[in-house]
Structures are given as C-alpha cells and as structure tokens.
Amino acid sequence: MQLVELGDLGLTLPTAIAMTALLAAWRAWRMAWCWSLLFALGFGTVAFSKIVFMGWGGGWQALCFKALSGHATGVTAVYPTLLYLLLQGGGASLRHGAVVAGLGLGALVAVQLAVSGEHSMAEAVAGWLMGAVVSLLVIALSGPLPPPRPLPGMLAFGAVFALFAWLMQWAHVGYWMAKLARLLSGQQQLFPL
C-alpha cells in the first residue's frame, strides 16, 4: 500500500465521522463540534476548488495549481487529530509529538503526490496546509477534554467507521462534483483535473 492511499476519501471521511462519534461517546462536545465544523469547512474548500477548476478553469496556471489536494488535506487533517485523541492518556509532550508525527505523515503524502505526478507541488502543499490548519485549530480550540471512556469510545468509533466505510462504496464523490460543476457553470465540457 502506498502512503497516498491513506488520504483516500473512502478512508478519511469514515474516520472523520467516526472521530466525531468517539468524541460524542467521551462527551467531549466542544471538540466534537470544532472537529465536525472545521473538517467540513476544510473539505468543503477542497471540493469548492475542484468544482471551480472543472467548471471554469480556475486555478493558478503559473504554479500549475488546479485545485487543493484532497488526499494531502485528508491525511493532514485526520491523522494528527486522531493520534492526539488516541494518546489522551499520555502526557502533553507525547500528544504533541504524535501531532507532529501526523503532520509529518501528511508531508510525506504531499511529497509522494507531487513526485508521482498526481498533483503539482503547489496543489500538494496547499492541501497539506489546509489539513494542518484544520487539525491544529481543532486541537487549539477544543480546550481540555474529559477523561476518555475507552469502551464506549471504541464501540462508537468502530460501528460508525464500519457503517460509513461501507456506504462510501457507493458514494461517487467525483461524479457528483462534476455534475455540480456542469450545473453551476453551464458547461458540458469540463476542465480535466
């Protein structure tokens, strides 16, 4: 498995939703709301950038920038935050080290995306930055968390992840973004991503 696959929406979206369920099971309401809102805003921005490019050819040609990398955004938003949550029982330095490791994983994915030609360096770096902003803002704004409730948290996370991973098999997100780009722009021929 390549690292890039960790950023696939079929994995990051179920993980993100399951993280909200985990936080709800822990009764960490503030972080659950922060996470849900900021994750939705981050991925909404990625989707918006892709729709604008497909429909109108937006982007920045001088930088070979078409749209934010969803894979880089996903890895960098989800994994640092997840590691931070999983290490709540550890000290502050362990949690911060885990966040740095998650951000490093996102950077590796961004580099791999650029090297493989799936994205330009500008698109990969912009995706990494978007994910880092989401993750770091959630952690900064969430405040102190209540003591973790391991069993309810694991059950909530596992059940919600399994459900949404199963549902993502039929969620053709790229198809619906292209449909929306056609509808909004009035163009039948879209710019290829």
Side-chain angles (χ1 to χ4, degrees):
M1 177 174 109
Q2 291 189 8
L3 284 178
V4 170
E5 293 174 30
L6 292 173
D8 188 86
L9 195 60
L11 180 59
T12 56
L13 186 59
T15 303
I17 296 169
M19 286 166 59
T20 302
L22 170 82
L23 290 165
W26 286 358
R27 298 185 180 123
W29 305 115
R30 180 182 175 129
M31 188 167 187
W33 281 109
C34 286
W35 170 248
S36 299
L37 178 64
L38 290 170
F39 182 81
L41 286 172
F43 266 89
T45 303
V46 170
F48 177 77
S49 72
K50 290 178 184 280
I51 290 167
V52 166
F53 180 78
M54 287 188 290
W56 294 273
W60 195 350
Q61 194 172 17
L63 291 177
C64 299
F65 182 88
K66 297 177 183 176
L68 292 161
S69 166
H71 281 69
T73 300
V75 168
T76 314
V78 169
Y79 296 107
T81 312
L82 179 61
L83 291 171
Y84 178 82
L85 291 175
L86 293 176
L87 296 173
Q88 277 307 298
S93 59
L94 179 63
R95 289 192 313 267
H96 289 110
V99 170
V100 170
L103 293 172
L105 176 63
L108 287 173
V109 168
V111 168
Q112 189 177 18
L113 286 164
V115 169
S116 69
E118 291 184 49
H119 279 288
S120 69
M121 185 56 80
E123 294 165 346
V125 168
W128 182 87
L129 286 171
M130 176 60 70
V133 165
V134 168
S135 182
L136 294 174
L137 269 179
V138 166
I139 292 166
L141 296 175
S142 65
L145 294 174
R149 300 171 65 220
L151 185 58
M154 287 186 326
L155 291 173
F157 184 93
V160 171
F161 178 84
L163 173 65
F164 280 91
W166 178 72
L167 289 172
M168 285 301 290
Q169 296 176 58
W170 296 283
H172 304 288
V173 177
Y175 169 80
W176 290 108
M177 281 195 305
K179 286 280 266 191
L180 187 56
R182 277 193 190 94
L183 176 71
L184 294 174
S185 69
Q187 304 287 340
Q188 288 306 309
Q189 188 68 30
L190 297 177
F191 291 87
L193 277 174

